[in-house]
Amino acid sequence: MSELGPEQQALVDALNVEFAAVFAYGVVAAFSNPTRDPMVAQYAAEHRARRDGTIDALTAASVTSPEPAAGYTVPFPVTDAVAAARLAAQVEDDCAVAWRSVVERSQSGATRDLAIVALTDSARRGSAWRAILGIFPSTVAFPGQPAP
């Protein structure tokens, strides 16, 4: 396989983060407050759609998409609804970082548009989870900016 350009590598990296997000939302669903089931289902579906759209974008660029890992490790134990909400917020932050990287490295308008929508969606979902956790303001000034 030939060396990927910065745009294609950023898309591959974002796809890997989306694979992890789909997995993590399964954990979130298992431990989340049942009243949030519709929200969790919607957000999980959005990540699956983003995963599929990213695979399509890579295929259009003649890049072979990586396969998802057999399993993923969550960054902390999830044993209750609060930890599930924290995991979901972390997932959205991770996705925002990945998609911001795609924005920064995109060389085509189509990729930039895809990444801006993905970044905005992650910021929106992350804000909802932070509000649930009682974190105010729940929005982030520059979503996807890595911590210093």
Short mmCIF file of all heavy atoms in Angstrom, two decimals, residues 27-33 76-89 129:
data_model
loop_
_atom_site.label_atom_id
_atom_site.label_comp_id
_atom_site.label_asym_id
_atom_site.label_seq_id
_atom_site.Cartn_x
_atom_site.Cartn_y
_atom_site.Cartn_z
N VAL A 27 -21.38 0.37 25.19
CA VAL A 27 -21.16 0.40 26.64
C VAL A 27 -22.06 1.44 27.28
O VAL A 27 -22.69 1.19 28.32
CB VAL A 27 -19.67 0.67 26.96
CG1 VAL A 27 -19.45 0.80 28.46
CG2 VAL A 27 -18.78 -0.42 26.37
N VAL A 28 -22.14 2.61 26.67
CA VAL A 28 -23.01 3.67 27.19
C VAL A 28 -24.45 3.17 27.27
O VAL A 28 -25.13 3.36 28.28
CB VAL A 28 -22.91 4.94 26.31
CG1 VAL A 28 -23.96 5.96 26.69
CG2 VAL A 28 -21.50 5.54 26.41
N ALA A 29 -24.90 2.50 26.23
CA ALA A 29 -26.28 1.99 26.21
C ALA A 29 -26.53 1.00 27.34
O ALA A 29 -27.62 0.98 27.93
CB ALA A 29 -26.58 1.34 24.87
N ALA A 30 -25.52 0.21 27.66
CA ALA A 30 -25.70 -0.81 28.70
C ALA A 30 -25.85 -0.20 30.09
O ALA A 30 -26.51 -0.78 30.95
CB ALA A 30 -24.51 -1.77 28.67
N PHE A 31 -25.23 0.96 30.31
CA PHE A 31 -25.20 1.53 31.66
C PHE A 31 -25.95 2.85 31.80
O PHE A 31 -26.08 3.38 32.90
CB PHE A 31 -23.75 1.71 32.13
CG PHE A 31 -23.06 0.42 32.39
CD1 PHE A 31 -22.25 -0.16 31.42
CD2 PHE A 31 -23.22 -0.25 33.60
CE1 PHE A 31 -21.61 -1.37 31.66
CE2 PHE A 31 -22.59 -1.46 33.84
CZ PHE A 31 -21.78 -2.02 32.87
N SER A 32 -26.42 3.40 30.71
CA SER A 32 -27.06 4.71 30.73
C SER A 32 -28.41 4.67 31.45
O SER A 32 -29.06 3.63 31.53
CB SER A 32 -27.25 5.21 29.31
OG SER A 32 -27.69 6.55 29.30
N ASN A 33 -28.81 5.84 31.92
CA ASN A 33 -30.14 5.99 32.50
C ASN A 33 -31.16 5.61 31.42
O ASN A 33 -31.11 6.14 30.31
CB ASN A 33 -30.31 7.46 32.92
CG ASN A 33 -31.62 7.75 33.57
OD1 ASN A 33 -32.64 7.18 33.21
ND2 ASN A 33 -31.60 8.66 34.52
N PHE A 76 -11.89 4.39 31.40
CA PHE A 76 -12.13 4.25 32.85
C PHE A 76 -13.28 3.27 33.02
O PHE A 76 -14.04 3.02 32.07
CB PHE A 76 -12.46 5.61 33.49
CG PHE A 76 -13.48 6.42 32.74
CD1 PHE A 76 -14.84 6.18 32.89
CD2 PHE A 76 -13.07 7.42 31.86
CE1 PHE A 76 -15.78 6.91 32.18
CE2 PHE A 76 -14.01 8.16 31.14
CZ PHE A 76 -15.37 7.90 31.31
N PRO A 77 -13.42 2.69 34.20
CA PRO A 77 -14.52 1.74 34.42
C PRO A 77 -15.89 2.41 34.27
O PRO A 77 -16.09 3.52 34.74
CB PRO A 77 -14.32 1.26 35.86
CG PRO A 77 -12.90 1.59 36.19
CD PRO A 77 -12.55 2.80 35.37
N VAL A 78 -16.79 1.73 33.59
CA VAL A 78 -18.16 2.21 33.44
C VAL A 78 -19.06 1.20 34.13
O VAL A 78 -19.21 0.07 33.66
CB VAL A 78 -18.54 2.37 31.95
CG1 VAL A 78 -19.98 2.84 31.81
CG2 VAL A 78 -17.59 3.35 31.26
N THR A 79 -19.63 1.64 35.25
CA THR A 79 -20.46 0.75 36.04
C THR A 79 -21.81 1.36 36.43
O THR A 79 -22.59 0.71 37.10
CB THR A 79 -19.73 0.33 37.34
OG1 THR A 79 -19.40 1.52 38.06
CG2 THR A 79 -18.45 -0.45 37.03
N ASP A 80 -22.04 2.61 35.99
CA ASP A 80 -23.31 3.26 36.33
C ASP A 80 -23.61 4.34 35.29
O ASP A 80 -22.82 4.58 34.38
CB ASP A 80 -23.27 3.83 37.75
CG ASP A 80 -22.20 4.88 37.97
OD1 ASP A 80 -21.73 5.51 36.99
OD2 ASP A 80 -21.81 5.09 39.13
N ALA A 81 -24.75 4.99 35.47
CA ALA A 81 -25.21 5.98 34.49
C ALA A 81 -24.31 7.20 34.41
O ALA A 81 -24.11 7.77 33.33
CB ALA A 81 -26.64 6.40 34.81
N VAL A 82 -23.74 7.61 35.53
CA VAL A 82 -22.85 8.79 35.51
C VAL A 82 -21.59 8.47 34.71
O VAL A 82 -21.15 9.26 33.87
CB VAL A 82 -22.51 9.26 36.95
CG1 VAL A 82 -21.46 10.35 36.92
CG2 VAL A 82 -23.77 9.74 37.65
N ALA A 83 -21.00 7.31 34.96
CA ALA A 83 -19.81 6.93 34.21
C ALA A 83 -20.13 6.75 32.72
O ALA A 83 -19.32 7.09 31.86
CB ALA A 83 -19.21 5.65 34.78
N ALA A 84 -21.32 6.25 32.42
CA ALA A 84 -21.73 6.12 31.02
C ALA A 84 -21.81 7.49 30.35
O ALA A 84 -21.35 7.66 29.22
CB ALA A 84 -23.08 5.40 30.93
N ALA A 85 -22.36 8.46 31.04
CA ALA A 85 -22.43 9.83 30.48
C ALA A 85 -21.04 10.42 30.32
O ALA A 85 -20.75 11.09 29.33
CB ALA A 85 -23.30 10.72 31.37
N ARG A 86 -20.16 10.16 31.28
CA ARG A 86 -18.77 10.63 31.17
C ARG A 86 -18.08 10.00 29.97
O ARG A 86 -17.34 10.67 29.24
CB ARG A 86 -17.99 10.32 32.45
CG ARG A 86 -18.31 11.23 33.61
CD ARG A 86 -17.48 10.96 34.88
NE ARG A 86 -16.08 10.73 34.61
CZ ARG A 86 -15.39 9.66 35.05
NH1 ARG A 86 -15.96 8.73 35.80
NH2 ARG A 86 -14.11 9.53 34.77
N LEU A 87 -18.32 8.69 29.76
CA LEU A 87 -17.73 8.02 28.60
C LEU A 87 -18.25 8.63 27.31
O LEU A 87 -17.48 8.90 26.39
CB LEU A 87 -18.03 6.52 28.64
CG LEU A 87 -17.53 5.72 27.44
CD1 LEU A 87 -16.01 5.84 27.29
CD2 LEU A 87 -17.95 4.26 27.55
N ALA A 88 -19.55 8.87 27.23
CA ALA A 88 -20.11 9.46 26.02
C ALA A 88 -19.52 10.84 25.75
O ALA A 88 -19.18 11.17 24.60
CB ALA A 88 -21.63 9.54 26.13
N ALA A 89 -19.36 11.65 26.80
CA ALA A 89 -18.75 12.97 26.63
C ALA A 89 -17.31 12.83 26.14
O ALA A 89 -16.87 13.58 25.25
CB ALA A 89 -18.80 13.75 27.94
N TRP A 129 -24.06 15.90 26.49
CA TRP A 129 -23.58 15.04 27.58
C TRP A 129 -23.02 15.86 28.74
O TRP A 129 -23.25 15.53 29.90
CB TRP A 129 -22.55 14.04 27.07
CG TRP A 129 -23.18 12.93 26.27
CD1 TRP A 129 -23.01 12.69 24.94
CD2 TRP A 129 -24.09 11.94 26.75
NE1 TRP A 129 -23.77 11.60 24.57
CE2 TRP A 129 -24.43 11.12 25.66
CE3 TRP A 129 -24.64 11.66 27.99
CZ2 TRP A 129 -25.30 10.04 25.77
CZ3 TRP A 129 -25.51 10.58 28.11
CH2 TRP A 129 -25.83 9.79 27.02
#
